[in-house]
Amino acid sequence: MENTAEHTPEHTPDTTPSQKSEPLTEASTQATTADTAPPIPQLDSENIAFESRLDLAPLTAKVNAIRHEISKVIVGQHKTIDRLLVALLSNGHILLEGVPGVAKTLTAKVLSQTIDTTYSRIQFTPDLMPSDILGTSVFNMQTSNFDFKKGPIFANLVLIDEINRAPAKTQAALFEVMEERQITIDNLQFTMDQPFLVIATQNPIEQEGTYRLPEAQLDRFLFKIEVEYPSLEEEIDILVKEHALVDQAKTAQIEKVITPSEIVTFQKLVKQIVVEEKVMEYIAKIVHNTRTNPMLYLGASPRASIAILNAAKGYAAINARDFVTPEDIKEAAYPVLTHRVIVSPEREMEGVTAHDIIQQIVETIDIPR
């Protein structure tokens, strides 16, 4: 009997032209377009470079040059050096606080040697008088007139060593010159040459023969910088450098890399850095919170708000940015506010510091988006 299964045609898919020409759906149209269209280039967000609205290249180059010169002598202390540079660009004064031997005075001297400008050092002592700082009028026998002899404060960069060792009347002599960059004495007014920067040092531990700085004096410092001990590795590096000096001076290799006119130009450039309105509100909220915080006896003044604004611009500049970010505000808030607020006696007895309270305030307030 013949096998009929062998003659049964196999079932094959129908591929006739009439069934292939079905109307294209929207999905198939999109697929066809995607197949034929050129691929969309993917943007690499990490490599996007935005053109700066300000030419910060010369400023950045000089900042790096100063850092390099200071690093020849000072080991570590990167945050302190950055704060010194920010204060220089922001036209603000600095209070360096630390135990003896952590290179507070040396750091200020090295910074002054990188600038081709006039430098003066004043050692504050309990018997120092205001005229020893500002100057005095001396009678001239030839002209029968009084000639004013300028004091050591007449310099572009002034180092005041151990500022808390002079009495209140001597400290008060600095009020006008630090705030208004001028001196009024014997009915004469003298305007300080620009730039004018005061760097003061003090020892927070020693109480014998010292005088506490009044709040009005502290408020005139842009930054209070606490100089800390070096790490073990940094201290080893300090010993190696000291041993290699032999009989050479520590600052002998420091070169002058910037002029006063360049500093003034950069200070004007930093003023033009962009600050969004929300970022300004962020500054105001931080400072306002210090006035309503129950853990603080005294809050910060509007001068502190302006100080944070100017310092944040300085941080943006040394990071080659022409706009301020919330991180710049946070970086500036601590050295600007810690010496301007007073912790309530109850909290102070519990060991709470101004830095702890400022940190809590900064972390509590929402960052602008």
Side-chain angles (χ1 to χ4, degrees):
M1 185 173 176
E2 194 177 13
N3 190 354
T4 55
E6 295 179 359
H7 299 281
T8 306
E10 294 182 359
H11 179 73
T12 56
D14 194 352
T15 57
T16 56
S18 60
Q19 291 181 342
K20 271 188 171 181
S21 58
E22 293 181 357
L24 294 175
T25 61
E26 182 179 355
S28 62
T29 304
Q30 293 177 351
T32 304
T33 305
D35 292 337
T36 57
I40 300 175
Q42 297 296 321
L43 295 178
D44 186 359
S45 59
E46 295 182 357
N47 297 324
I48 295 178
F50 297 98
E51 185 177 354
S52 177
R53 289 157 286 194
L54 300 174
D55 184 12
L56 296 173
L59 184 150
T60 306
K62 291 296 183 179
V63 165
N64 291 333
I66 294 174
R67 283 173 176 159
H68 174 71
E69 294 300 318
I70 294 177
S71 66
K72 293 179 180 178
V73 178
I74 304 300
V75 177
Q77 304 292 355
H78 302 296
K79 183 173 288 188
T80 298
I81 294 170
D82 280 353
R83 286 174 175 175
L84 287 169
L85 293 171
V86 168
L88 183 65
L89 295 174
S90 305
N91 199 23
H93 310 295
I94 303 162
L95 178 62
L96 291 173
E97 184 177 89
V99 298
V102 290
K104 301 185 299 295
T105 303
L106 180 61
T107 303
K109 290 176 66 176
V110 172
L111 175 65
S112 69
Q113 289 194 329
T114 64
I115 306 171
D116 188 12
T117 185
T118 56
Y119 166 75
S120 178
R121 184 183 187 277
I122 309 173
Q123 181 68 53
F124 268 32
T125 57
D127 61 343
L128 197 70
M129 300 296 291
S131 59
D132 297 329
I133 301 170
L134 304 179
T136 186
S137 296
V138 179
F139 184 73
N140 190 329
M141 298 289 293
Q142 297 178 348
T143 61
S144 298
N145 292 320
F146 283 93
D147 296 335
F148 182 73
K149 300 297 183 182
K150 294 182 178 181
I153 196 68
F154 285 88
N156 292 115
L157 198 152
V158 181
L159 169 62
I160 300 177
D161 203 14
E162 299 288 347
I163 189 173
N164 56 340
R165 290 201 175 276
K169 66 178 180 180
T170 306
Q171 294 179 13
L174 300 171
F175 283 7
E176 181 185 10
V177 67
M178 289 181 66
E179 177 62 22
E180 302 177 35
R181 267 73 177 183
Q182 68 177 27
I183 291 175
T184 304
I185 187 168
D186 291 342
N187 294 325
L188 299 174
Q189 189 177 90
F190 301 91
T191 302
M192 309 303 293
D193 294 333
Q194 296 299 320
F196 176 70
L197 176 66
V198 172
I199 302 178
T201 69
Q202 72 172 5
N203 178 4
I205 305 299
E206 207 166 11
Q207 303 297 326
E208 187 74 21
T210 61
Y211 302 84
R212 185 176 180 273
L213 268 65
E215 279 68 34
Q217 176 70 66
L218 288 171
D219 201 39
R220 280 162 169 76
F221 287 102
L222 175 72
F223 282 163
K224 177 185 174 184
I225 304 174
E226 296 178 0
V227 184
E228 301 177 348
Y229 284 121
S231 65
L232 176 60
E233 293 77 11
E234 290 172 346
E235 191 144 6
I236 294 173
D237 198 3
I238 291 172
L239 295 175
V240 171
K241 283 192 173 184
E242 183 69 24
H243 177 68
L245 285 174
V246 189
D247 59 348
Q248 189 180 24
K250 290 184 180 180
T251 59
Q253 297 181 351
I254 302 299
E255 298 180 0
K256 299 185 184 299
V257 295
I258 192 170
T259 63
S261 60
E262 288 176 324
I263 293 175
V264 173
T265 301
F266 292 152
Q267 287 176 346
K268 294 178 180 178
L269 184 64
V270 168
K271 288 284 187 182
Q272 302 175 36
I273 287 179
V274 178
V275 185
E276 298 292 339
E277 186 175 350
K278 290 184 178 180
V279 176
M280 293 187 188
E281 291 177 4
Y282 184 51
I283 298 173
K285 288 178 180 178
I286 291 175
V287 175
H288 185 266
N289 198 301
T290 64
R291 303 169 194 161
T292 58
N293 196 298
M295 292 188 289
L296 292 175
Y297 173 74
L298 177 69
S301 66
R303 184 185 286 161
S305 301
I306 298 173
I308 293 177
L309 175 66
N310 293 333
K313 292 180 180 180
Y315 273 110
I318 67 172
N319 288 290
R321 278 187 282 101
D322 64 348
F323 60 92
V324 172
T325 67
E327 291 302 319
D328 297 327
I329 305 299
K330 289 182 178 181
E331 197 69 35
Y334 295 101
V336 167
L337 294 176
T338 49
H339 63 289
R340 287 183 163 91
V341 299
I342 298 178
V343 182
S344 63
E346 298 82 7
R347 297 299 182 185
E348 193 171 10
M349 291 178 64
E350 295 174 0
V352 179
T353 64
H355 187 278
D356 297 332
I357 299 173
I358 299 303
Q359 183 177 5
Q360 184 186 36
I361 292 173
V362 170
E363 291 177 353
T364 301
I365 297 176
D366 294 334
I367 298 175
R369 303 295 181 185

